[in-house]
C-alpha cells in the first residue's frame, strides 16, 4: 500500500492519519476475530499482569469496564504471521524510515453495551520519562469502528505538545488507565470512524480518545507499534508522578509472577 504525498504531509502536520482502505481481507479479519475472542475469553496473561481492566480497579470477580491484553501475540503466536503486519510495516516505513517494522503491542476490548470510554491521553505518558521517543501506534478495528461503539478521536497538532499532566482515571491510583487533566481542547478534536481492517496511525504524544461502546456489538481493537530506537533525553530530568504513585492489581500480579519465575 503506497501512501500519497498528501497523506504523508497530513500525518507529519497533524500527528495522525486515518486509512479507510482495509489493510487485510475479510478472511484474515474473520480469523483474527476468532483468535482475539479466544484470548479474551481465556483472560490470557492475567496471572502475569498482561491481562487487566484498563478502565477499572481490576478486582477479580468484578465486571471489567475496559479489558486489555498486553503482548497478545505472546498468547496467540499465530498473530505474528498475519499479512496485515506486512502491510502495516510497509506503511510505517513510508512515515518513519526503512528500518522500522510493525509488531503487535496490545489489544483493547469494549464489550457490547457497556464498554467504557478510553479517556483523553498521550501514549508517552505511560512510558519511562528518561527517554526520547519517535514512535507510532497503529490502531486497527476488527469490525467497523463507529461513533457508537468507540472509534478513535484525535487532537490535530498535539504531537508537538510536551507530555501534559495526567492522572489515573478518576484520580484512583488502583486504575492502570490514565486521563489528561485538562481536556478543554477536545471541542476541536476529529473523529475517525473506520471499516473493519482500516487503521489509524498516531504519534506517541498525539492526544486521543475513544468513546464508550453503546452499540449491540463488541468493539475489538488490535494495536500495533513501530518506532525508531529510543534515545536518552537531553536537558533537565523529567518525571511522570502519575505513574510513580500507581498501586494497581495488574502491577502486583506482574511483580509476583516475576518473583515466582
Amino acid at each position: 500500500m503506497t501512501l500519497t504525498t498528501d497523506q504523508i504531509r497530513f500525518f507529519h502536520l497533524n500527528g495522525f492519519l486515518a486509512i479507510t482502505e482495509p489493510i487485510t481481507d475479510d478472511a484474515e479479519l474473520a480469523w483474527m476475530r476468532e483468535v482475539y475472542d479466544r484470548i479474551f475469553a481465556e483472560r490470557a496473561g492475567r496471572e502475569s499482569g498482561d491481562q487487566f481492566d484498563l478502565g477499572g480497579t481490576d478486582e477479580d470477580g468484578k465486571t471489567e469496564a475496559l479489558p486489555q491484553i498486553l503482548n497478545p501475540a505472546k498468547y496467540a503466536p499465530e498473530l505474528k504471521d498475519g499479512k496485515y503486519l506486512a502491510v502495516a510495516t510497509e506503511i510505517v516505513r513510508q512515515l518513519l524510515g526503512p528500518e522500522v517494522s510493525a509488531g503487535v503491542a496490545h489489544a483493547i476490548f469494549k464489550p457490547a453495551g457497556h464498554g467504557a470510554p478510553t479517556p483523553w491521553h498521550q501514549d508517552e505518558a505511560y512510558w519511562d520519562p528518561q527517554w526520547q521517543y519517535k514512535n507510532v501506534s497503529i490502531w486497527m478495528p476488527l469490525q467497523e469502528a463507529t461513533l457508537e461503539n468507540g472509534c478513535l478521536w484525535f487532537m490535530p497538532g498535539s504531537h508537538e505538545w510536551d507530555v501534559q499532566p495526567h492522572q489515573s482515571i478518576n484520580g484512583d491510583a488502583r486504575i492502570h488507565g490514565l486521563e489528561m487533566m485538562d481536556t478543554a481542547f477536545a471541542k476541536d478534536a476529529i473523529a475517525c470512524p473506520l471499516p473493519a481492517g482500516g487503521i489509524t496511525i498516531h504519534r506517541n504524544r498525539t492526544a486521543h480518545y475513544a468513546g464508550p461502546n453503546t452499540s449491540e456489538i463488541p468493539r475489538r481493537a488490535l494495536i500495533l507499534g513501530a518506532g525508531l530506537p529510543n534515545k536518552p533525553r537531553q536537558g533537565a530530568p523529567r518525571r511522570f508522578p502519575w505513574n510513580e504513585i500507581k498501586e494497581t492489581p495488574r502491577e502486583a500480579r506482574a511483580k509476583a509472577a516475576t518473583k515466582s519465575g
Side-chain angles (χ1 to χ4, degrees):
M1 182 179 291
T2 301
L3 300 180
T4 67
T5 300
D6 285 345
Q7 286 175 310
I8 295 171
R9 183 184 297 117
F10 184 95
F11 173 80
H12 290 296
L13 179 64
N14 293 283
F16 74 96
L17 177 67
I19 298 177
T20 56
E21 179 184 349
I23 67 169
T24 188
D25 56 36
D26 290 343
E28 184 166 81
L29 284 166
W31 165 74
M32 292 172 72
R33 285 192 292 269
E34 291 180 6
V35 174
Y36 188 103
D37 288 349
R38 172 176 58 80
I39 61 175
F40 272 97
E42 294 171 350
R43 305 179 87 191
R46 184 159 182 81
E47 292 304 314
S48 62
D50 283 342
Q51 191 281 335
F52 56 95
D53 185 0
L54 178 64
T57 52
D58 199 35
E59 296 139 332
D60 287 328
K62 183 178 180 180
T63 299
E64 295 173 312
L66 194 59
Q68 171 163 310
I69 296 177
L70 304 178
N71 305 312
K74 179 179 178 181
Y75 307 101
E78 58 269 38
L79 288 173
K80 296 179 183 179
D81 298 325
K83 55 190 173 186
Y84 71 97
L85 271 177
V87 179
T89 292
E90 183 180 293
I91 291 169
V92 295
R93 285 179 175 173
Q94 296 172 67
L95 299 173
L96 296 182
E99 64 271 41
V100 301
S101 296
V104 183
H106 57 113
I108 300 177
F109 180 66
K110 288 186 189 282
H114 72 270
T118 310
W120 281 103
H121 67 283
Q122 297 165 292
D123 290 341
E124 192 175 330
Y126 284 94
W127 302 348
D128 188 334
Q130 71 174 318
W131 297 99
Q132 176 180 317
Y133 302 94
K134 190 169 184 179
N135 291 62
V136 296
S137 291
I138 303 114
W139 190 92
M140 182 171 66
L142 304 186
Q143 73 301 296
E144 185 181 13
T146 65
L147 295 175
E148 291 74 28
N149 71 11
C151 70
L152 286 190
W153 295 67
F154 296 100
M155 180 58 198
S158 55
H159 64 303
E160 299 287 0
W161 298 352
D162 289 334
V163 175
Q164 300 298 297
H166 286 65
Q167 65 176 7
S168 293
I169 295 172
N170 298 326
D172 189 335
R174 297 173 299 168
I175 299 177
H176 180 79
L178 296 175
E179 60 186 4
M180 296 176 73
M181 298 179 71
D182 183 358
T183 59
F185 61 83
K187 65 183 184 301
D188 298 318
I190 294 176
C192 293
L194 292 172
I199 60 172
T200 59
I201 309 167
H202 66 269
R203 287 290 311 276
N204 43 282
R205 292 190 185 181
T206 304
H208 56 290
Y209 160 89
N213 185 359
T214 61
S215 78
E216 297 179 355
I217 62 169
R219 196 224 66 182
R220 308 168 183 88
L222 190 67
I223 298 93
L224 315 178
L228 299 175
N230 301 335
K231 297 180 180 180
R233 287 190 74 255
Q234 303 299 314
R238 63 175 179 171
R239 293 176 55 196
F240 293 164
W242 47 86
N243 291 330
E244 297 171 10
I245 62 174
K246 275 186 186 177
E247 295 184 3
T248 67
R250 184 211 76 81
E251 184 179 30
R253 291 197 303 275
K255 287 181 178 178
T258 300
K259 287 180 181 179
S260 65

PDB file of all heavy atoms in Angstrom, residues 48-77:
ATOM      1  N   SER A  48       0.184 -13.028  34.885  1.00  0.00           N
ATOM      2  CA  SER A  48       1.452 -12.316  34.708  1.00  0.00           C
ATOM      3  C   SER A  48       1.267 -10.803  34.627  1.00  0.00           C
ATOM      4  O   SER A  48       2.243 -10.066  34.463  1.00  0.00           O
ATOM      5  CB  SER A  48       2.148 -12.809  33.441  1.00  0.00           C
ATOM      6  OG  SER A  48       1.357 -12.536  32.294  1.00  0.00           O
ATOM      7  N   GLY A  49       0.024 -10.330  34.731  1.00  0.00           N
ATOM      8  CA  GLY A  49      -0.240  -8.898  34.664  1.00  0.00           C
ATOM      9  C   GLY A  49      -0.446  -8.359  33.270  1.00  0.00           C
ATOM     10  O   GLY A  49      -0.628  -7.152  33.090  1.00  0.00           O
ATOM     11  N   ASP A  50      -0.473  -9.242  32.268  1.00  0.00           N
ATOM     12  CA  ASP A  50      -0.680  -8.770  30.896  1.00  0.00           C
ATOM     13  C   ASP A  50      -2.154  -8.571  30.562  1.00  0.00           C
ATOM     14  O   ASP A  50      -2.482  -7.836  29.635  1.00  0.00           O
ATOM     15  CB  ASP A  50      -0.065  -9.754  29.894  1.00  0.00           C
ATOM     16  CG  ASP A  50       1.449  -9.640  29.812  1.00  0.00           C
ATOM     17  OD1 ASP A  50       1.997  -8.608  30.250  1.00  0.00           O
ATOM     18  OD2 ASP A  50       2.083 -10.590  29.311  1.00  0.00           O
ATOM     19  N   GLN A  51      -3.045  -9.246  31.285  1.00  0.00           N
ATOM     20  CA  GLN A  51      -4.479  -9.029  31.086  1.00  0.00           C
ATOM     21  C   GLN A  51      -5.023  -8.318  32.309  1.00  0.00           C
ATOM     22  O   GLN A  51      -4.762  -8.726  33.451  1.00  0.00           O
ATOM     23  CB  GLN A  51      -5.207 -10.367  30.884  1.00  0.00           C
ATOM     24  CG  GLN A  51      -6.651 -10.229  30.396  1.00  0.00           C
ATOM     25  CD  GLN A  51      -7.660  -9.872  31.493  1.00  0.00           C
ATOM     26  OE1 GLN A  51      -7.451 -10.137  32.673  1.00  0.00           O
ATOM     27  NE2 GLN A  51      -8.758  -9.243  31.096  1.00  0.00           N
ATOM     28  N   PHE A  52      -5.778  -7.243  32.071  1.00  0.00           N
ATOM     29  CA  PHE A  52      -6.297  -6.452  33.188  1.00  0.00           C
ATOM     30  C   PHE A  52      -7.392  -5.526  32.685  1.00  0.00           C
ATOM     31  O   PHE A  52      -7.626  -5.397  31.486  1.00  0.00           O
ATOM     32  CB  PHE A  52      -5.178  -5.643  33.850  1.00  0.00           C
ATOM     33  CG  PHE A  52      -4.421  -4.731  32.909  1.00  0.00           C
ATOM     34  CD1 PHE A  52      -4.764  -3.402  32.766  1.00  0.00           C
ATOM     35  CD2 PHE A  52      -3.366  -5.218  32.157  1.00  0.00           C
ATOM     36  CE1 PHE A  52      -4.081  -2.566  31.899  1.00  0.00           C
ATOM     37  CE2 PHE A  52      -2.664  -4.388  31.282  1.00  0.00           C
ATOM     38  CZ  PHE A  52      -3.018  -3.067  31.158  1.00  0.00           C
ATOM     39  N   ASP A  53      -8.045  -4.878  33.643  1.00  0.00           N
ATOM     40  CA  ASP A  53      -9.084  -3.902  33.327  1.00  0.00           C
ATOM     41  C   ASP A  53      -8.429  -2.527  33.251  1.00  0.00           C
ATOM     42  O   ASP A  53      -8.074  -1.937  34.276  1.00  0.00           O
ATOM     43  CB  ASP A  53     -10.168  -3.937  34.404  1.00  0.00           C
ATOM     44  CG  ASP A  53     -11.350  -3.032  34.076  1.00  0.00           C
ATOM     45  OD1 ASP A  53     -11.325  -2.370  33.019  1.00  0.00           O
ATOM     46  OD2 ASP A  53     -12.301  -2.994  34.878  1.00  0.00           O
ATOM     47  N   LEU A  54      -8.280  -2.022  32.048  1.00  0.00           N
ATOM     48  CA  LEU A  54      -7.630  -0.726  31.848  1.00  0.00           C
ATOM     49  C   LEU A  54      -8.424   0.413  32.476  1.00  0.00           C
ATOM     50  O   LEU A  54      -7.849   1.394  32.954  1.00  0.00           O
ATOM     51  CB  LEU A  54      -7.466  -0.478  30.343  1.00  0.00           C
ATOM     52  CG  LEU A  54      -6.860   0.848  29.896  1.00  0.00           C
ATOM     53  CD1 LEU A  54      -5.427   0.991  30.370  1.00  0.00           C
ATOM     54  CD2 LEU A  54      -6.932   0.981  28.372  1.00  0.00           C
ATOM     55  N   GLY A  55      -9.758   0.280  32.499  1.00  0.00           N
ATOM     56  CA  GLY A  55     -10.598   1.390  32.937  1.00  0.00           C
ATOM     57  C   GLY A  55     -11.198   1.237  34.319  1.00  0.00           C
ATOM     58  O   GLY A  55     -11.975   2.100  34.743  1.00  0.00           O
ATOM     59  N   GLY A  56     -10.872   0.152  35.033  1.00  0.00           N
ATOM     60  CA  GLY A  56     -11.446  -0.083  36.358  1.00  0.00           C
ATOM     61  C   GLY A  56     -10.400  -0.541  37.350  1.00  0.00           C
ATOM     62  O   GLY A  56      -9.197  -0.561  37.056  1.00  0.00           O
ATOM     63  N   THR A  57     -10.861  -0.914  38.539  1.00  0.00           N
ATOM     64  CA  THR A  57      -9.939  -1.278  39.619  1.00  0.00           C
ATOM     65  C   THR A  57      -9.433  -2.708  39.519  1.00  0.00           C
ATOM     66  O   THR A  57      -8.615  -3.122  40.337  1.00  0.00           O
ATOM     67  CB  THR A  57     -10.604  -1.056  40.985  1.00  0.00           C
ATOM     68  OG1 THR A  57     -11.873  -1.718  41.007  1.00  0.00           O
ATOM     69  CG2 THR A  57     -10.803   0.437  41.241  1.00  0.00           C
ATOM     70  N   ASP A  58      -9.912  -3.466  38.534  1.00  0.00           N
ATOM     71  CA  ASP A  58      -9.302  -4.741  38.159  1.00  0.00           C
ATOM     72  C   ASP A  58      -9.408  -5.821  39.241  1.00  0.00           C
ATOM     73  O   ASP A  58      -8.533  -6.672  39.365  1.00  0.00           O
ATOM     74  CB  ASP A  58      -7.826  -4.512  37.780  1.00  0.00           C
ATOM     75  CG  ASP A  58      -7.246  -5.653  36.958  1.00  0.00           C
ATOM     76  OD1 ASP A  58      -7.987  -6.238  36.154  1.00  0.00           O
ATOM     77  OD2 ASP A  58      -6.058  -5.956  37.137  1.00  0.00           O
ATOM     78  N   GLU A  59     -10.473  -5.771  40.021  1.00  0.00           N
ATOM     79  CA  GLU A  59     -10.636  -6.800  41.041  1.00  0.00           C
ATOM     80  C   GLU A  59     -11.174  -8.077  40.425  1.00  0.00           C
ATOM     81  O   GLU A  59     -12.007  -8.048  39.531  1.00  0.00           O
ATOM     82  CB  GLU A  59     -11.604  -6.310  42.134  1.00  0.00           C
ATOM     83  CG  GLU A  59     -11.065  -5.115  42.900  1.00  0.00           C
ATOM     84  CD  GLU A  59     -12.148  -4.066  43.175  1.00  0.00           C
ATOM     85  OE1 GLU A  59     -13.104  -3.975  42.397  1.00  0.00           O
ATOM     86  OE2 GLU A  59     -11.994  -3.362  44.185  1.00  0.00           O
ATOM     87  N   ASP A  60     -10.711  -9.211  40.927  1.00  0.00           N
ATOM     88  CA  ASP A  60     -11.229 -10.496  40.464  1.00  0.00           C
ATOM     89  C   ASP A  60     -12.719 -10.590  40.776  1.00  0.00           C
ATOM     90  O   ASP A  60     -13.168 -10.196  41.850  1.00  0.00           O
ATOM     91  CB  ASP A  60     -10.477 -11.645  41.146  1.00  0.00           C
ATOM     92  CG  ASP A  60      -9.060 -11.804  40.609  1.00  0.00           C
ATOM     93  OD1 ASP A  60      -8.844 -11.521  39.417  1.00  0.00           O
ATOM     94  OD2 ASP A  60      -8.170 -12.197  41.385  1.00  0.00           O
ATOM     95  N   GLY A  61     -13.483 -11.116  39.816  1.00  0.00           N
ATOM     96  CA  GLY A  61     -14.904 -11.291  40.020  1.00  0.00           C
ATOM     97  C   GLY A  61     -15.750 -10.086  39.696  1.00  0.00           C
ATOM     98  O   GLY A  61     -16.986 -10.162  39.734  1.00  0.00           O
ATOM     99  N   LYS A  62     -15.111  -8.965  39.342  1.00  0.00           N
ATOM    100  CA  LYS A  62     -15.844  -7.745  39.020  1.00  0.00           C
ATOM    101  C   LYS A  62     -15.942  -7.594  37.504  1.00  0.00           C
ATOM    102  O   LYS A  62     -14.985  -7.886  36.781  1.00  0.00           O
ATOM    103  CB  LYS A  62     -15.136  -6.533  39.629  1.00  0.00           C
ATOM    104  CG  LYS A  62     -15.861  -5.213  39.417  1.00  0.00           C
ATOM    105  CD  LYS A  62     -15.102  -4.075  40.103  1.00  0.00           C
ATOM    106  CE  LYS A  62     -15.818  -2.750  39.905  1.00  0.00           C
ATOM    107  NZ  LYS A  62     -15.086  -1.628  40.566  1.00  0.00           N
ATOM    108  N   THR A  63     -17.091  -7.151  37.016  1.00  0.00           N
ATOM    109  CA  THR A  63     -17.253  -6.921  35.580  1.00  0.00           C
ATOM    110  C   THR A  63     -16.250  -5.880  35.116  1.00  0.00           C
ATOM    111  O   THR A  63     -16.143  -4.789  35.691  1.00  0.00           O
ATOM    112  CB  THR A  63     -18.680  -6.441  35.253  1.00  0.00           C
ATOM    113  OG1 THR A  63     -19.607  -7.451  35.660  1.00  0.00           O
ATOM    114  CG2 THR A  63     -18.838  -6.182  33.762  1.00  0.00           C
ATOM    115  N   GLU A  64     -15.506  -6.207  34.070  1.00  0.00           N
ATOM    116  CA  GLU A  64     -14.451  -5.322  33.594  1.00  0.00           C
ATOM    117  C   GLU A  64     -15.039  -4.194  32.735  1.00  0.00           C
ATOM    118  O   GLU A  64     -15.890  -4.432  31.877  1.00  0.00           O
ATOM    119  CB  GLU A  64     -13.429  -6.113  32.791  1.00  0.00           C
ATOM    120  CG  GLU A  64     -12.671  -7.142  33.626  1.00  0.00           C
ATOM    121  CD  GLU A  64     -11.778  -8.030  32.791  1.00  0.00           C
ATOM    122  OE1 GLU A  64     -12.256  -8.540  31.763  1.00  0.00           O
ATOM    123  OE2 GLU A  64     -10.614  -8.209  33.169  1.00  0.00           O
ATOM    124  N   ALA A  65     -14.555  -2.989  32.957  1.00  0.00           N
ATOM    125  CA  ALA A  65     -15.020  -1.836  32.192  1.00  0.00           C
ATOM    126  C   ALA A  65     -14.346  -1.750  30.830  1.00  0.00           C
ATOM    127  O   ALA A  65     -14.962  -1.351  29.838  1.00  0.00           O
ATOM    128  CB  ALA A  65     -14.763  -0.551  32.981  1.00  0.00           C
ATOM    129  N   LEU A  66     -13.061  -2.134  30.777  1.00  0.00           N
ATOM    130  CA  LEU A  66     -12.277  -1.947  29.556  1.00  0.00           C
ATOM    131  C   LEU A  66     -11.140  -2.970  29.533  1.00  0.00           C
ATOM    132  O   LEU A  66      -9.987  -2.651  29.799  1.00  0.00           O
ATOM    133  CB  LEU A  66     -11.719  -0.517  29.521  1.00  0.00           C
ATOM    134  CG  LEU A  66     -11.154   0.011  28.208  1.00  0.00           C
ATOM    135  CD1 LEU A  66     -12.207  -0.012  27.112  1.00  0.00           C
ATOM    136  CD2 LEU A  66     -10.611   1.423  28.383  1.00  0.00           C
ATOM    137  N   PRO A  67     -11.440  -4.238  29.205  1.00  0.00           N
ATOM    138  CA  PRO A  67     -10.414  -5.276  29.229  1.00  0.00           C
ATOM    139  C   PRO A  67      -9.301  -5.010  28.217  1.00  0.00           C
ATOM    140  O   PRO A  67      -9.549  -4.551  27.103  1.00  0.00           O
ATOM    141  CB  PRO A  67     -11.185  -6.548  28.866  1.00  0.00           C
ATOM    142  CG  PRO A  67     -12.619  -6.231  29.117  1.00  0.00           C
ATOM    143  CD  PRO A  67     -12.774  -4.764  28.866  1.00  0.00           C
ATOM    144  N   GLN A  68      -8.070  -5.324  28.637  1.00  0.00           N
ATOM    145  CA  GLN A  68      -6.901  -5.140  27.777  1.00  0.00           C
ATOM    146  C   GLN A  68      -5.969  -6.326  27.944  1.00  0.00           C
ATOM    147  O   GLN A  68      -5.884  -6.903  29.028  1.00  0.00           O
ATOM    148  CB  GLN A  68      -6.156  -3.846  28.135  1.00  0.00           C
ATOM    149  CG  GLN A  68      -4.813  -3.690  27.423  1.00  0.00           C
ATOM    150  CD  GLN A  68      -4.272  -2.270  27.456  1.00  0.00           C
ATOM    151  OE1 GLN A  68      -4.978  -1.338  27.134  1.00  0.00           O
ATOM    152  NE2 GLN A  68      -3.022  -2.115  27.842  1.00  0.00           N
ATOM    153  N   ILE A  69      -5.265  -6.672  26.876  1.00  0.00           N
ATOM    154  CA  ILE A  69      -4.198  -7.665  26.935  1.00  0.00           C
ATOM    155  C   ILE A  69      -2.947  -7.056  26.311  1.00  0.00           C
ATOM    156  O   ILE A  69      -2.975  -6.606  25.161  1.00  0.00           O
ATOM    157  CB  ILE A  69      -4.569  -8.969  26.197  1.00  0.00           C
ATOM    158  CG1 ILE A  69      -5.765  -9.653  26.870  1.00  0.00           C
ATOM    159  CG2 ILE A  69      -3.372  -9.928  26.149  1.00  0.00           C
ATOM    160  CD1 ILE A  69      -6.236 -10.913  26.156  1.00  0.00           C
ATOM    161  N   LEU A  70      -1.864  -7.023  27.071  1.00  0.00           N
ATOM    162  CA  LEU A  70      -0.569  -6.618  26.548  1.00  0.00           C
ATOM    163  C   LEU A  70       0.083  -7.812  25.847  1.00  0.00           C
ATOM    164  O   LEU A  70      -0.108  -8.958  26.252  1.00  0.00           O
ATOM    165  CB  LEU A  70       0.337  -6.128  27.676  1.00  0.00           C
ATOM    166  CG  LEU A  70      -0.180  -4.982  28.549  1.00  0.00           C
ATOM    167  CD1 LEU A  70       0.831  -4.658  29.652  1.00  0.00           C
ATOM    168  CD2 LEU A  70      -0.482  -3.747  27.724  1.00  0.00           C
ATOM    169  N   ASN A  71       0.861  -7.533  24.820  1.00  0.00           N
ATOM    170  CA  ASN A  71       1.602  -8.574  24.102  1.00  0.00           C
ATOM    171  C   ASN A  71       0.707  -9.757  23.709  1.00  0.00           C
ATOM    172  O   ASN A  71       1.015 -10.918  24.022  1.00  0.00           O
ATOM    173  CB  ASN A  71       2.767  -9.082  24.962  1.00  0.00           C
ATOM    174  CG  ASN A  71       3.682  -7.973  25.419  1.00  0.00           C
ATOM    175  OD1 ASN A  71       4.096  -7.143  24.612  1.00  0.00           O
ATOM    176  ND2 ASN A  71       4.002  -7.942  26.699  1.00  0.00           N
ATOM    177  N   PRO A  72      -0.407  -9.507  23.020  1.00  0.00           N
ATOM    178  CA  PRO A  72      -1.316 -10.619  22.709  1.00  0.00           C
ATOM    179  C   PRO A  72      -0.683 -11.726  21.879  1.00  0.00           C
ATOM    180  O   PRO A  72      -1.100 -12.883  21.984  1.00  0.00           O
ATOM    181  CB  PRO A  72      -2.477  -9.936  21.973  1.00  0.00           C
ATOM    182  CG  PRO A  72      -1.944  -8.627  21.507  1.00  0.00           C
ATOM    183  CD  PRO A  72      -0.924  -8.221  22.519  1.00  0.00           C
ATOM    184  N   ALA A  73       0.337 -11.407  21.094  1.00  0.00           N
ATOM    185  CA  ALA A  73       0.986 -12.444  20.291  1.00  0.00           C
ATOM    186  C   ALA A  73       1.779 -13.415  21.156  1.00  0.00           C
ATOM    187  O   ALA A  73       2.136 -14.508  20.693  1.00  0.00           O
ATOM    188  CB  ALA A  73       1.888 -11.811  19.240  1.00  0.00           C
ATOM    189  N   LYS A  74       2.037 -13.058  22.398  1.00  0.00           N
ATOM    190  CA  LYS A  74       2.666 -13.996  23.338  1.00  0.00           C
ATOM    191  C   LYS A  74       1.726 -15.160  23.627  1.00  0.00           C
ATOM    192  O   LYS A  74       2.163 -16.287  23.877  1.00  0.00           O
ATOM    193  CB  LYS A  74       3.018 -13.250  24.624  1.00  0.00           C
ATOM    194  CG  LYS A  74       3.648 -14.090  25.716  1.00  0.00           C
ATOM    195  CD  LYS A  74       3.962 -13.224  26.922  1.00  0.00           C
ATOM    196  CE  LYS A  74       4.547 -14.029  28.074  1.00  0.00           C
ATOM    197  NZ  LYS A  74       4.821 -13.159  29.266  1.00  0.00           N
ATOM    198  N   TYR A  75       0.420 -14.879  23.587  1.00  0.00           N
ATOM    199  CA  TYR A  75      -0.594 -15.876  23.921  1.00  0.00           C
ATOM    200  C   TYR A  75      -1.276 -16.443  22.674  1.00  0.00           C
ATOM    201  O   TYR A  75      -1.963 -17.455  22.760  1.00  0.00           O
ATOM    202  CB  TYR A  75      -1.617 -15.257  24.872  1.00  0.00           C
ATOM    203  CG  TYR A  75      -0.916 -14.645  26.064  1.00  0.00           C
ATOM    204  CD1 TYR A  75      -0.699 -13.269  26.140  1.00  0.00           C
ATOM    205  CD2 TYR A  75      -0.402 -15.449  27.077  1.00  0.00           C
ATOM    206  CE1 TYR A  75      -0.004 -12.713  27.202  1.00  0.00           C
ATOM    207  CE2 TYR A  75       0.297 -14.896  28.143  1.00  0.00           C
ATOM    208  CZ  TYR A  75       0.491 -13.527  28.210  1.00  0.00           C
ATOM    209  OH  TYR A  75       1.200 -12.989  29.248  1.00  0.00           O
ATOM    210  N   ALA A  76      -1.076 -15.789  21.565  1.00  0.00           N
ATOM    211  CA  ALA A  76      -1.576 -16.270  20.276  1.00  0.00           C
ATOM    212  C   ALA A  76      -0.485 -15.997  19.239  1.00  0.00           C
ATOM    213  O   ALA A  76      -0.573 -15.045  18.457  1.00  0.00           O
ATOM    214  CB  ALA A  76      -2.879 -15.568  19.897  1.00  0.00           C
ATOM    215  N   PRO A  77       0.592 -16.814  19.233  1.00  0.00           N
ATOM    216  CA  PRO A  77       1.738 -16.549  18.352  1.00  0.00           C
ATOM    217  C   PRO A  77       1.376 -16.468  16.876  1.00  0.00           C
ATOM    218  O   PRO A  77       2.102 -15.846  16.094  1.00  0.00           O
ATOM    219  CB  PRO A  77       2.669 -17.741  18.627  1.00  0.00           C
ATOM    220  CG  PRO A  77       2.270 -18.241  19.973  1.00  0.00           C
ATOM    221  CD  PRO A  77       0.795 -18.007  20.075  1.00  0.00           C
TER     222      PRO A  77
END
